[in-house]
Amino acid sequence: MNHQGSLTAYIAAFVSELVSTGVTEVVVSPGSRSTPMAMVMAEHPELNVHVHVDERSAAFFALGIAKAINKPVAILCTSGTAAANYFPAIVEAKYSRVPLIVLTADRPHELREVGAPQAIDQIHLYGHHVKWFAEMALPEKNDEMIRYARTVCARAAAIAAAAPSGPVHLNFPFREPLIPKLDDELFRQSERPKGYVRVHNGDFTVDHEQFKVIAEKIIGKEKGIIVCGNIVDEQFAEAVTRLSKALNYPVLADPLSQLRSGNHNLENIIESYDTFLRNEDAKTFLKPDVVLRFGAMPISKALTIFLKENHTADQFVVDGGGGWRDPSALSTNMVFCNETIFCQELLNFLDSKSSSGYLESWKKVNALTKENMTSIRDLTELSEGRLFYQLAEMLPEGATLFVGNSMPIRDVDSFFLNNNKSIKIMANRGANGIDGTVSTALGAAVYSESLYLVLGDLTFFHDLNGLIAAKLYDIDIHIILVNNNGGGIFSFLPQSEHPKNFELLFGTPLNLEFEHAVRMFNGQFTKIKDWNHLELEMKKSVDQTGIHVYEIATKREKNLDEHREFWRSVSQEISNFVIGEQ
């Protein structure tokens, strides 16, 4: 059998099986050694091939698509440092539990470690940051090797999608010549044409008796709270709010839990905890005996500290991925069970309860905190706090809000209040880095209508080249750029108490005019003058296509003062309220 025939049959079998597993999206970065896989992928009528020149950005772009569709997305690159540039996105996918199928082309074995160009050690390149790695065999056309290629493909896709979802890595050594033979019979598989092997993934759960035991530990304990972090299951909101109603427990809803916005019951959803849990009187007043925690760790440091301070409470951590999300070692019960199934099954052991004074206390403190947010709402100058307070009002129904790390995600946590507009909130909170934010948001925008990205100037600068995807593929995105000329979050950290080299090491002002870069990618750029101007521009561009960037200039020092003054005034009101209740 000639080399071209073997190369073509082997790769076509792999790609055919990839589509059979349900993969529809692949992001390809141009390169020589990956030529045969790229050319075959481009021929498949059921694959959407997105070409992205920069591998680092390409991987984050794929990450965003996978976040939006909640299915595995494949990425393909050539050998050498191209594969190394995938690493940051793979790390993020690992810790945020996003399914990626990483395909790297490689030199054949005889060209490794002998000085051949563009040849690095790609074996286990990503270490423990991938769920599974396989060094693929060299292409052959015999029946056994075709079955091998198809089986490995099905296995990789299944492992990537299985809870907890994450990245897998397949390394393909290819010998030259690299050009496959493309014809009408390319994807015809004579054996099992609809897919070689089906992998049936199931959900983590526990048996009936364990649910009964858990229920017995909770029943009769009035002082309980439900804490929800990042959750992607669309059925979870309904299930957890029903559980909350049955238990009369408040739900402390992280913005990434998707519980602050939607048509589910918002009655017991507490969203301003990041503010009032900074108050010692409130923390004592609201001390729980039981904590039920779902999803990733919450964004709020105040909430994390509150949970740590209540280490004597029974703390149930429910994890549908079978992980160990407990950095403070607080859990008394680690439950490996799908979060929605847990809520639904536990309800079978609970009776409806009358109203709870403990629940009402949480609601009153929450309401009092929101009433005092008028001090943020009424700020006349452009400010970060007011921006995030007004986001729910400004965004259209059903919008997706992608939030950058550092201060933006924390301000969303503090100021984005409950609403029924079904706004989906996304962020890269696996490794919490600022890299790849623009690319991830653009990937998500491929399958998300009305996507709005809010990020700081350092985050924007870090991934400016990601905007090329919007230009090439006519992706619509609205970017609210909070420009405080540096790293605003460091003003809130202990480093700020050491001013000598603070600006040099942490403030890091860039003094950039971002308009030039945005125009380079055919984007529209607007420097916002005041709140009326922002509202007008946002409304005007709702139905417009392309890149729209709205720059809001703020001052780091003033932002710090505004936050501290707000926390101080709210804390005083809460202390007065708690004293009056005791």
Side-chain angles (χ1 to χ4, degrees), residues 37-321:
M37 183 75 78
M39 290 182 67
V40 171
M41 283 178 162
E43 289 293 312
H44 203 293
E46 297 178 44
L47 268 184
N48 297 316
V49 177
H50 312 267
V51 178
H52 208 310
V53 175
D54 179 349
E55 285 83 7
R56 188 187 77 154
S57 187
F60 277 109
F61 185 74
L63 181 83
I65 297 176
K67 278 176 173 281
I69 65 176
N70 200 27
K71 294 197 316 183
V73 172
I75 53 178
L76 170 68
C77 72
T78 190
S79 62
T81 56
N85 276 286
Y86 276 169
F87 213 144
I90 289 170
V91 170
E92 177 61 29
K94 157 77 172 180
Y95 290 105
S96 58
R97 299 183 175 182
V98 176
L100 290 180
I101 302 172
V102 183
L103 310 174
T104 56
D106 200 355
R107 292 300 198 258
H109 303 77
E110 67 271 16
L111 292 181
R112 298 176 185 176
E113 303 296 335
V114 292
Q118 210 169 331
I120 67 171
D121 184 358
Q122 295 178 201
I123 307 302
H124 292 287
L125 177 61
Y126 309 115
H128 294 294
H129 292 96
V130 292
K131 295 178 67 179
W132 184 55
F133 166 77
E135 163 78 340
M136 298 296 290
L138 285 159
E140 295 183 44
K141 193 181 178 180
N142 63 66
D143 291 344
E144 185 176 351
M145 292 306 292
I146 295 300
R147 290 169 187 156
Y148 160 80
R150 296 177 72 186
T151 300
V152 172
C153 179
R155 183 180 176 185
I159 292 173
S165 299
V168 297
H169 176 206
L170 304 180
N171 192 57
F172 285 82
F174 293 136
R175 288 194 178 109
E176 296 181 355
L178 299 169
I179 305 301
K181 182 180 179 181
L182 307 179
D183 57 39
D184 294 338
E185 298 293 310
L186 186 61
F187 299 108
R188 190 179 72 83
Q189 300 298 321
S190 58
E191 187 176 12
R192 305 181 194 177
K194 294 184 179 180
Y196 192 76
V197 57
R198 289 280 182 266
V199 181
H200 302 274
N201 283 329
D203 290 313
F204 279 88
T205 188
V206 297
D207 63 30
H208 178 85
E209 286 303 312
Q210 290 187 66
F211 278 116
K212 184 178 179 181
V213 170
I214 293 169
E216 288 172 351
K217 290 182 178 180
I218 296 173
I219 291 171
K221 293 187 177 180
E222 177 184 313
K223 295 184 176 181
I225 63 174
I226 298 172
V227 177
C228 296
N230 188 4
I231 294 278
V232 297
D233 187 349
E234 293 181 356
Q235 298 179 334
F236 179 71
E238 178 65 25
V240 77
T241 50
R242 286 182 59 214
L243 181 63
S244 166
K245 186 174 182 180
L247 289 170
N248 274 323
Y249 286 0
V251 179
L252 281 63
D254 184 276
L256 299 179
S257 69
Q258 313 308 328
L259 294 175
R260 295 192 189 182
S261 184
N263 297 318
H264 53 276
N265 190 337
L266 298 172
E267 182 181 1
N268 293 344
I269 303 295
I270 306 297
E271 77 272 51
S272 62
Y273 53 81
D274 183 66
T275 296
F276 65 73
L277 287 180
R278 298 170 188 268
N279 177 275
E280 294 299 324
D281 293 327
K283 290 196 287 185
T284 302
F285 183 56
L286 300 172
K287 182 179 177 66
D289 294 324
V290 177
V291 177
L292 299 179
R293 188 162 66 74
F294 300 91
M297 286 298 296
I299 294 164
S300 171
K301 186 175 182 179
L303 175 54
T304 301
I305 291 172
F306 179 69
L307 294 175
K308 187 182 295 187
E309 290 173 345
N310 286 284
H311 57 88
T312 58
D314 287 332
Q315 299 207 24
F316 296 79
V317 176
V318 183
D319 190 344

